Amino acid sequence: MDGQEFKKILGGRIVALRNAKGLSQERLAECIDINPRSLSDLESGKSMASAETFAKLMEFFNLEPYEFFQIPSFQNAKEVENAIYSRISAVKNNKELLTKIYMYLNTII
């Protein structure tokens, strides 16, 4: 994995965390006191966050560093599919969360 790919993966992690909270980029940027454009660049993988910004993100999302940087490594599409189904089945009775998942998937597919 090269540096650019790593930035994109971390950016995707930030997007997923933000979407799980139902926040816009502007609102998250405001909450962690950074420029919305800077957040956009982080999420798209155009730039890398400073240690201070990572600390703000981890505090905001109430995550330890190992949790924040916990990014799955899948070997094939079937592993990804199984992981998705596992997560969905864990919340199958939570209409609100399932709706958020659907809306997120609908925006990227």
Side-chain angles (χ1 to χ4, degrees), residues 7-103:
K7 288 191 286 188
K8 286 186 178 192
I9 289 169
L10 285 178
R13 176 76 168 130
I14 296 167
V15 171
L17 290 167
R18 178 175 58 76
N19 285 336
K21 292 262 190 193
L23 299 171
S24 67
Q25 281 185 335
E26 292 79 14
R27 181 68 183 127
L28 177 57
E30 180 184 315
C31 289
I32 63 169
D33 195 30
I34 67 170
N35 183 298
R37 180 68 190 164
S38 296
L39 180 59
S40 176
D41 288 348
L42 290 175
E43 289 187 349
S44 66
K46 292 179 183 174
S47 67
M48 180 59 96
S50 67
E52 181 181 338
T53 299
F54 276 128
K56 288 177 181 181
L57 286 164
M58 286 182 279
E59 181 179 350
F60 179 80
F61 290 112
N62 195 31
L63 296 172
E64 294 296 322
Y66 77 90
E67 294 171 309
F68 185 85
F69 292 102
Q70 188 175 24
I71 300 166
S73 176
F74 299 109
Q75 300 300 313
N76 56 52
K78 189 65 176 171
E79 285 184 12
V80 176
E81 181 182 348
N82 289 340
I84 290 169
Y85 286 133
S86 174
R87 293 292 179 139
I88 290 173
S89 68
V91 297
K92 65 183 174 186
N93 294 320
N94 185 330
K95 181 183 174 193
E96 181 181 337
L97 191 51
L98 286 171
T99 301
K100 286 181 182 180
I101 292 168
Y102 171 79
M103 291 172 61

